[in-house]
Amino acid sequence: MSRYDPSVIEPKWQNEWEAKKPFKTPTDLAELKKKPKFYVLDMFPYPSGAGLHVGHPEGYTATDVVARLKRMQGFNVLHPMGWDAFGLPAERAAMRDGIHPAVITKRNVDNFRRQIKRLGFSYDWDREVDTSAADYYRWTQWIFLKLYEKGLAYLAEVPVNWCPALGTVLANEEVKDGKYVETGDPVERRLMKQWMLKITAYGDRLLEDLDGLDWPDGIKEMQRNWIGKSEGAEVTFKVEGSSEAFVVFTTRPDTLFGATYCVLAPEHTLVSKITTAAQQAKVDAYVLEAKNKSELARKEDAKTKTGVFTGAHAVNPATGKPVPIWIADYVLAGYGTGAIMSVPAHDTRDHEFAKAFGLPIVEVVKGGKDVQAEAFVDEGVAVNSGLLDGLATGEAKKKMTAWLEEQRLGKKRVQYQLRDWLFSRQRYWGEPFPIVHCEDGSIATIPEAQLPVELPHVDEYKPTADGRPPLARAGDPWLGVTLPNGKKGVREVNTMPQWAGSCWYYLRFLDAKNDQQAWNPELEKYWMPVDLYVGGVEHAVLHLLYARFWHKVLFDCGLVSTKEPFQKLFNQGMILAYSYRSEAGKYYHPKDVDDRDDGAVVKATGEKLHKQVEKMSKSKSNVVSPDEVIEEHGADAMRLYELFMGPLEQVKPWQMSGVAGVARFLDRVWRLVVNEETGALSAKLTDAGPESEPDLHKALHKCIQAVEKDTLGLRFNTGISHMMTFANEATGAKTLPKAIARTFMTVLAPYAPHLAEELWSRLGGEGFVSIAPWPKFDPALVVENTITYAVQVLGKLRAEIQAPIDATEAEVRALAEAEPKMKPWLEGKTVKKFVFVPKRLVNFVVG
RNA sequence: GCACGAGUGGCGAAACUGGUAGACGCAGCGGACUUAAAAUCCGCAGGUCCUUUGGUGGACCGUAUGGGUUCGAGCCCCAUCUCGUGCACCA
């Protein structure tokens, strides 16, 4: 073989790695403790039937490059991969095709594994996990028992998001605008008895501990918003002429004097009790209308405020005056107390409502705006507010809250938007709960020693005729059980949501084969926390919040040693692709398109096409599969291009011609070492020391330094550009000392490991270059001894001069003034100021 | 509507802490090699204009737009526009 042929060398080295396991992470603790650790984790995929597209391996390639570099730098690196294998698509496919979801899942996993392995990632495959395997979900159930024991898992009759199309409930997080976010199927509200996890008990810690994490600010902010902590007060309003009272929540207790009416949510229990006979008909109609309005319609109507007067009045506890009580759907039953005090002068929504219904607007915070025309919502100085007058908003809040507490009319309160986590699903393909509902109405847990509660076989994967979840089809002996204490009962037939398995998989990787424990505590102490976690921004809230919650519970149980699981998080940007659409809206596959400078046309017909960048999707004919890229250019080129496209965090379009570009670079590296005609080593290679090519030697060390720095800083695109620069210089050099070539292979190895291994072995390198020590750059070789100074006049570049690295300001100035090009710019001018930036530039400020 | 992020050549992008804008690559152009093409190697390449027989040399403009701070701004400040993402009646 003489040409660079990835289809030959890539399988060759993958087989070598598979056989000799250079990437196996030690499992022995004493062995591990000899070296520092680095845990670099990918968000493991859900193995869908469609296989990988080129977006998946972007993050995997990034972590693999870091893992390989760290390994070469002498770290024990934990770099595992697994499958988030429970989930709805497999269950749907099972229903459609009548095949067990486990079979479908295995098929998909096998395909994913095959595709991932083709890219030459240095995973320790001995630690592969599958959340749908009984020896994995056994421990998921075990963690559920921990939650249950701590009182963090409970059954509750709650209004849930029921999705008729799927026949299951969904978490709040899975519903947006009244639709299931994944499929767009409509969702309705229903009351059902469900398992809930008390994530709200951890709201404060989930919020506070964000501060210590090295995460993108945007993600932290999204989590903060999701938790939605707001501090304020609750205030009791008495209903005039009745013994009834209701409580409102407000973040602005300082504006109580300006509360000119109150609003209850239409669902508020008090509505039926206080409505006057005269208003009854109108109120009933409004409540009915609100009830039937879909989530979507309610959002649509958000601009126009609607509402009805109940006829009743409440007493403003500050002013003692009666204020009307209205009902309106802009007050949400599910947040706070489902009732508000309205301060139209200082709240936009209340202002709109007051304007619409002619309710009084009273200014209580001075802000220089006309509150009759527009609400003033900022902080200011209290007015028309009795005891608060003259106080700044912050002070006024405190004073009012204290006063309310004194009068027993209210108290300080912290409110979260975060809700408890709805944790059961009416599905088959998920973890069964280790729970038995006893005949006497009590709930029993399955003892740890008897876990796992395995998924039973069922005849069909849909709900029973009477609407119970698929597990109810299992029948006895699975369904009905007799407990050791003789009690009889029925197993829980809900299953856990897909998020459960991914809440702790990073812990199972530490000790994946352990059949006695979920993980060994000593190994946990050694490896945790995760040092680098890379994945898509789509998991910013849900997965990351749930996993943090479980981790904190495990921490409180003494089962993990860190407060947080993921110390550093990085989100890769989505990879998009160009798509070609005709006037009529038909999409064409790139292979049928001629993309010329003057526009894209259909090859066959010459029809003009619109070219745009869009998300990859089958319907747009713009999906690129790693398989096709590897077949054309090889896995190393694929890896390199994934990272060379641009910054990892950025959204960017895939361009096949770009892959060809990096492939060309690899080809060039190949030719540095191999004579393509003969297959022998290139005639340029010499056995002389690296000093025999001083310029190239310097270039090499600059390259080592830059690649190391950029890789660890996750700036892979510039790292690769430095390797290209070196290869270009090496191509231009007269000779190439083998020592330099070998060292360059170690630098290349994390990025293009197959090629590096092949050339390393041809150059006589020992063992695998993938685990060879990372080279140390020589600081003396990376500094220049002459510097090019930019010479500016009034900030504009007028000349360039060369000066020794250690030249003083006066010396550089003298050189600049002596430069002939500078003559016309300086002649006859007075230099008012001279700016000297060492090693960069000088600037003459002339008058 | 609110919050955050981003706007740099034909394209993907680089530019450290305010210091020579466009590294590296794609596409393009020219040359060498070749019967020819591909591949490869060498070179050119932001725009406008001027200059030179020619190689060249030079001026001005240029990082979404308009202002500002500074000896000097892609980077800092103010305002505006566009795009993206998230949240969205959360009291």
Side-chain angles (χ1 to χ4, degrees), chain A residues 374-638:
Chain A
E374 198 185 343
F376 173 73
V377 297
D378 296 331
E379 305 207 335
V381 176
V383 293
N384 303 325
S385 294
L387 71 161
L388 305 180
D389 280 349
L391 292 178
T393 300
E395 287 303 308
K397 278 184 185 173
K398 277 187 208 153
K399 188 155 183 183
M400 180 48 89
T401 310
W403 182 84
L404 286 167
E405 283 180 6
E406 219 174 272
Q407 304 292 313
R408 298 180 179 279
L409 289 169
K411 60 180 183 209
K412 198 174 156 172
R413 172 158 165 187
V414 178
Q415 177 70 33
Y416 296 92
Q417 268 169 255
L418 184 68
R419 288 299 124 78
D420 275 347
W421 176 13
L422 178 70
F423 195 66
S424 31
R425 298 290 185 276
Q426 290 67 49
R427 287 182 191 157
Y428 175 76
W429 194 230
E431 299 86 350
F433 283 82
I435 291 288
V436 173
H437 298 273
C438 300
E439 281 175 339
D440 61 7
S442 65
I443 289 172
T445 55
I446 302 293
E448 280 180 27
Q450 289 176 27
L451 297 180
V453 176
E454 290 201 46
L455 267 175
H457 277 276
V458 293
D459 53 348
E460 279 189 278
Y461 306 106
K462 54 186 195 192
T464 60
D466 57 352
R468 285 182 302 151
L471 288 195
R473 292 177 173 272
D476 294 334
W478 188 85
L479 195 57
V481 287
T482 306
L483 295 165
N485 62 10
K487 274 198 200 178
K488 289 194 165 145
V490 176
R491 287 189 198 273
E492 170 67 57
V493 289
N494 285 300
T495 52
M496 299 186 202
Q498 198 187 344
W499 308 105
S502 59
C503 271
W504 72 283
Y505 75 111
Y506 57 93
L507 291 166
R508 187 61 180 171
F509 279 138
L510 310 178
D511 198 7
K513 292 273 156 58
N514 195 330
D515 58 2
Q516 302 299 311
Q517 294 169 293
W519 58 86
N520 174 308
E522 292 300 315
L523 288 171
E524 186 279 328
K525 279 198 193 83
Y526 176 78
W527 283 114
M528 287 300 287
V530 174
D531 297 284
L532 176 64
Y533 192 26
V534 176
V537 72
E538 65 272 20
H539 296 111
V541 176
L542 306 184
H543 160 60
L544 288 169
L545 196 67
Y546 294 154
R548 292 180 62 220
F549 164 49
W550 278 36
H551 194 87
K552 287 183 183 304
V553 175
L554 294 171
F555 178 78
D556 289 349
C557 293
L559 292 163
V560 296
S561 58
T562 64
K563 285 199 292 187
E564 286 285 336
F566 314 120
Q567 188 50 42
K568 182 178 169 91
L569 174 75
F570 202 90
N571 296 116
Q572 87 262 21
M574 205 190 319
I575 293 184
L576 309 175
Y578 287 99
S579 63
Y580 301 91
R581 185 167 41 83
S582 71
E583 205 66 59
K586 183 181 176 203
Y587 280 94
Y588 286 84
H589 192 273
K591 72 176 189 315
D592 301 322
V593 174
D594 191 5
D595 190 355
R596 305 181 305 211
D597 281 352
D598 58 337
V601 296
V602 181
K603 269 185 195 160
T605 63
E607 186 188 359
K608 278 197 176 151
L609 296 171
H610 293 281
K611 179 185 184 182
Q612 61 263 304
V613 172
E614 293 185 282
K615 239 186 198 177
M616 284 191 203
S617 116
K618 231 181 190 167
S619 65
K620 288 170 186 151
S621 286
N622 64 346
V623 178
V624 184
S625 138
D627 288 329
E628 54 180 294
V629 179
I630 291 172
E631 264 143 47
E632 202 171 332
H633 298 290
D636 281 337
M638 163 97 195

Side-chain angles (χ1 to χ4, degrees), chain A residues 172-340:
Chain A
N172 287 329
E173 296 82 338
E174 293 171 305
V175 179
K176 201 184 160 183
D177 296 336
K179 291 176 184 166
Y180 177 39
V181 290
E182 299 285 329
T183 62
D185 290 313
V187 171
E188 54 188 56
R189 306 292 278 180
R190 260 200 202 179
L191 271 182
M192 286 178 78
K193 199 165 195 182
Q194 297 289 312
W195 283 100
M196 304 290 290
L197 296 187
K198 211 179 271 179
I199 190 172
T200 50
Y202 283 75
D204 253 328
R205 285 164 65 188
L206 288 168
L207 188 65
E208 280 166 20
D209 292 343
L210 281 173
D211 291 339
L213 297 178
D214 184 4
W215 285 21
D217 289 336
I219 304 296
K220 287 194 195 180
E221 202 49 37
M222 280 163 75
Q223 294 227 339
R224 284 192 194 103
N225 288 341
W226 194 265
I227 296 164
K229 181 178 184 176
S230 52
E231 294 180 52
E234 50 180 53
V235 184
T236 305
F237 280 70
K238 292 194 172 95
V239 179
E240 202 174 39
S242 142
S243 60
E244 301 286 352
F246 59 94
V247 176
V248 303
F249 171 71
T250 177
T251 54
R252 291 296 297 271
D254 61 301
T255 61
L256 185 51
F257 282 87
T260 53
Y261 63 101
C262 286
V263 185
L264 306 181
E267 299 90 339
H268 199 284
T269 49
L270 211 57
V271 174
S272 56
K273 295 181 191 162
I274 60 167
T275 304
T276 59
Q279 294 298 103
Q280 192 71 49
K282 277 189 185 170
V283 168
D284 287 348
Y286 189 81
V287 170
L288 193 68
E289 195 191 328
K291 196 176 163 189
N292 290 337
K293 225 190 235 181
S294 68
E295 287 276 321
L296 195 60
R298 198 158 159 163
K299 291 227 156 85
E300 295 279 299
D301 293 349
K303 289 139 223 152
T304 44
K305 295 274 179 291
T306 59
V308 178
F309 179 42
T310 61
H313 288 78
V315 181
N316 180 324
T319 62
K321 288 183 195 158
V323 293
I325 304 173
W326 286 63
I327 61 169
D329 65 4
Y330 86 90
V331 173
L332 306 176
Y335 183 77
T337 59
I340 62 158

